[in-house]
Amino acid sequence: MRVGVPTEIKNNEYRVGLTPPLVAELTAAGHDVLVQAGAGLGIDFTDSDYVAAGARIVGDAGAVFAEAEMIVKVKEPQTSEIAMLRPHHLLFTYLHLAADKPQAEGLMASGATCIAYETVTASDGTLPLLKPMSEVAGRMSVQCGAHYLEKHQGGRGVLLGGVPGVAPAKVVILGGGVAGVNAAQMAVGLRADVTIFDISNRRLAELDLAFGSQLKTAFASRSAIAAAVREAHLVIGAVLVPGAAAPKLVTREMIASMKRGAVVVDIAIDQGGCFETSHATTHQDPVFTVDGVIHYCVANMPGAVARTSTLALNNATAPFVLKLANLGAEAAMAADAHLANGLNVAGGKIRHAAVAEALDLPLG
C-alpha cells in the first residue's frame, strides 16, 4: 500500500503522523511511504531520517494526497486537506466529529473512508489511541493551570501546593478517566488540595484505593459540582463520552460564582467542551476570560509537547497502521471489530452511531 504523511497545518501543530521507526516497519513490510518534505522538522525528524527509514520525500501535500492510498495524520483534516480527499482514500487520524459538523459534511462529500483514532476500542472497552494523548493532556492541564494562576498572567496569584502556614490551592477534576487520573497525579504531586468527580461509584472506589488520603472523591451530582467549583482555584474538565459531544457539567452560573482569577482547563474541548462558557482556542492565543475566570481551551493541547506526544501516539497506532496497510481497510476492520469501531465516515455516510446522534445526521 502507498502510505502518505502530510505536514500538519493546524495552528502550532508540530506533531507528525508517522515517525521514522514506524516508517521503517512499513517499508520492511513492503509498503511505499511518502512523506511531505519537512513534515517532521518541528520535532527534529529530518527528511534524511525518513529517507534512511525507506520513505520517499515529496514536495507538498498535493503530491502526498495524489499518490497515497492511506493518509496518516495527527489532527483532523483542515479545509484544504478535505478538498484533496477522494473516494479511494483511507484517512487515519483524530477526527472529533461530534463537535465539528462542517468537517463531517466535508468528509462525507469526499467519499473517503475515515477511521478516527478516538473511537478505536480495545478488548476491555478502553480507547487505546486516545489514551496516550489523554495522558499528555491530563498532565499538561495541571502545569497550564498552575501557570495561569500566577498573578502576572491574570490569575489569582495562588501557588498550587501552598507553603507551610499557607493552604494549598483547591483543584477540582471532573472525570476519573485517563485524563482525569493523570491530572490528579500531577496535582497531588504538587501538594494541591484535590477532589475528583465521577458518576461511577465503582470508579470512585478504584480512585480512592489508588490515591488513598492524597485526594478526595465525590459523586458528580449537579449540586456537588456547583459547590466545589465555587470554592475551586483550578477546575479541570476531563469528561469523555466516546464519539459523542461532551456533557456541559459546569454552567455559566457556576462560572460566575467562582473566585476572580480562578482558572478552568477544558481538556474535553475537542468534543465540544464540558464548560458552557468554553470555546476552542489555539496555542497562539490560548486563553480568554469570562466573569473574571481564565479559560484555557486549546483544542490540541498535546501539540505543545509535540515530540513526546508523537512518540507516544506512534507507540499506540503502530499495530493498527500496519494492519490497515497489510490488509486494506475493509479486510482489516472485518478481522478486528475494535478497529472497526473507529470507522466514522465511509461512502458518503456517517458510520458511527454516537457521531450521527451528536450531529443529528442519519447513520449509514
Side-chain angles (χ1 to χ4, degrees), residues 59-354:
D60 55 29
V64 174
F65 281 80
E67 288 194 56
E69 299 165 277
M70 177 163 70
I71 305 293
V72 181
K73 284 175 43 61
V74 178
K75 290 305 294 177
E76 72 280 358
Q78 304 301 291
T79 302
S80 62
E81 295 173 312
I82 293 174
M84 292 187 283
L85 287 171
R86 299 292 180 264
H88 72 275
H89 278 131
L90 166 61
L91 175 65
F92 194 35
T93 188
Y94 287 116
L95 293 176
H96 297 292
L97 293 180
D100 193 347
K101 193 170 186 176
Q103 184 202 166
E105 291 173 336
L107 295 179
M108 291 165 67
S110 77
T113 297
C114 307
I115 299 176
Y117 293 160
E118 72 272 9
T119 59
V120 172
T121 57
S123 58
D124 60 359
T126 59
L127 304 170
L129 305 189
L130 191 62
K131 182 179 180 181
M133 297 304 94
S134 295
E135 291 170 337
V136 171
R139 295 185 179 204
M140 279 189 65
S141 68
V142 175
Q143 68 183 46
C144 290
H147 175 67
Y148 284 103
L149 275 172
E150 295 173 7
K151 190 65 180 179
H152 71 284
Q153 297 294 335
R156 193 159 179 80
V158 173
L159 181 66
L160 278 189
V163 291
V166 179
K170 292 184 177 180
V171 177
V172 170
I173 300 170
L174 304 176
V178 175
V181 166
N182 277 268
Q185 289 172 339
M186 296 295 283
V188 164
L190 290 172
R191 299 189 177 187
D193 178 351
V194 183
T195 303
I196 190 164
F197 284 81
D198 204 278
I199 58 172
S200 166
N201 285 311
R202 177 179 178 179
R203 185 60 178 153
L204 293 173
E206 292 170 348
L207 293 167
D208 182 73
L209 185 62
F211 285 95
S213 61
Q214 292 180 302
L215 59 69
K216 299 182 282 291
T217 59
F219 186 81
S221 67
R222 181 183 174 91
S223 59
I225 290 173
V229 164
R230 185 166 53 248
E231 298 301 320
H233 297 94
L234 171 61
V235 181
I236 296 169
V239 179
L240 174 68
V241 180
K248 304 296 185 186
L249 297 183
V250 177
T251 66
R252 180 174 290 274
E253 291 74 23
M254 293 180 195
I255 292 291
S257 76
M258 293 179 70
K259 303 174 188 295
R260 183 175 181 83
V263 177
V264 298
V265 177
D266 201 339
I267 299 174
I269 194 64
D270 279 325
Q271 296 292 110
C274 58
F275 302 94
E276 278 191 349
T277 46
S278 290
H279 63 75
T281 62
T282 66
H283 291 294
Q284 187 174 354
D285 188 14
V287 298
F288 60 93
T289 302
V290 176
D291 292 329
V293 176
I294 297 172
H295 290 55
Y296 181 97
C297 304
V298 174
N300 57 329
M301 286 179 66
V305 286
R307 188 174 177 92
T308 295
S309 297
T310 297
L311 293 169
L313 180 59
N314 270 235
N315 288 344
T317 59
F320 297 99
V321 169
L322 288 164
K323 184 174 291 187
L324 287 166
N326 290 337
L327 301 178
E330 188 173 339
M333 290 188 288
D336 186 343
H338 299 294
L339 177 59
N341 288 335
L343 183 64
N344 278 209
V345 179
K349 298 178 180 179
I350 299 293
R351 299 300 182 93
H352 192 285

